[in-house]
Amino acid sequence: RQATSTPSSCKTPASPRSVRLIFPAAAMLIHSLVAALLSVTTARMVCPGSDAPIHAGMRVTAEVAGSCEQVRAEALARVQGQSTKWHDPHNNGIYAVADFGGDLSFTRLTGDGKYTDKMVFTLTDVKDDACQIEACSESQVFSIFDMGTNYCNLKMLCCGSKDGCKPVLHDFDTRHEGTIRSSMASVDLQKCLVV
């Protein structure tokens, strides 16, 4: 008798056990790749931390046209010029210079005086006279929703006139922006520009 081989299209499908082994391995590989990509994009990012185990927060990575020295000078000019040269268009919060790490750190007291958030900016000069901004804002009390506050905390210190903001020293165009939310934090630039 002559042995015949089964055509590949007629072979028995993989057993359920082998399928169960393949899918978790693929899921673990995908999870590892995503984690590695996120760690590369936020490798220098510093967050201020929060004593609240559950809290809203926002990480923003952006590239703006201008040097990091200009970004630093503009953020400080806004904070130091509150009520004379600049006001926070997100409900008139009050920013203060702090020291939580990174290249710049601030606190922001909400306009109603109820809550204080902390934030850190890490700045890196990149090609073509641009600055990469890696910024993180965290609520300091239990919070799930933040109505866009953590995003606004960061954005209001480096946004430009094309965003609807009023610069003090330097006007920036944002080339790229990405966000990573904690809890149920939200992103809506229009909610930042209310006063």
Side-chain angles (χ1 to χ4, degrees), residues 3-144:
T4 58
S5 62
T6 306
S8 60
S9 61
C10 297
K11 286 187 179 176
T12 308
S15 71
R17 181 168 196 252
S18 64
V19 169
R20 281 192 303 252
L21 293 174
I22 291 170
F23 284 125
M28 287 174 45
L29 177 62
I30 291 169
H31 177 75
S32 297
L33 288 172
V34 169
L37 287 172
L38 286 176
S39 69
V40 168
T41 60
T42 60
R44 293 196 59 228
M45 188 177 293
V46 176
C47 287
S50 175
D51 289 334
I54 298 173
H55 62 278
M58 182 63 64
R59 294 175 183 224
V60 175
T61 302
E63 186 178 296
V64 297
S67 71
C68 288
E69 187 49 45
Q70 290 173 326
V71 172
R72 176 183 171 78
E74 179 62 25
L76 288 170
R78 292 182 192 189
V79 171
Q80 294 165 351
Q82 291 174 104
S83 75
T84 57
K85 296 180 181 178
W86 181 81
H87 78 278
D88 174 21
H90 184 236
N91 298 313
N92 279 317
I94 300 169
Y95 286 87
V97 176
D99 186 13
F100 306 123
D103 295 307
L104 291 167
S105 301
F106 303 99
T107 60
R108 180 182 175 273
L109 178 66
T110 55
D112 60 11
K114 291 183 179 179
Y115 306 105
T116 300
D117 301 322
K118 295 179 180 178
M119 65 208 79
V120 177
F121 289 75
T122 304
L123 309 174
T124 306
D125 282 305
V126 293
K127 63 180 181 176
D128 301 327
D129 192 33
C131 180
Q132 181 180 8
I133 301 169
E134 296 173 286
C136 182
S137 175
E138 293 184 286
S139 298
Q140 298 301 301
V141 296
F142 172 83
S143 55
I144 296 174

Side-chain angles (χ1 to χ4, degrees), residues 174-189:
T174 302
R175 295 179 181 165
H176 310 286
E177 181 178 285
T179 59
I180 300 173
R181 309 163 193 209
S182 296
S183 195
M184 297 294 287
S186 58
V187 175
D188 186 346
L189 180 59

Side-chain angles (χ1 to χ4, degrees), residues 126-168:
V126 293
K127 63 180 181 176
D128 301 327
D129 192 33
C131 180
Q132 181 180 8
I133 301 169
E134 296 173 286
C136 182
S137 175
E138 293 184 286
S139 298
Q140 298 301 301
V141 296
F142 172 83
S143 55
I144 296 174
F145 297 97
D146 73 347
M147 309 305 283
T149 297
N150 284 287
Y151 175 74
C152 296
N153 288 346
L154 303 169
K155 187 71 174 177
M156 294 302 92
L157 294 181
C158 57
C159 54
S161 59
K162 285 186 179 177
D163 297 314
C165 296
K166 295 180 181 173
V168 178

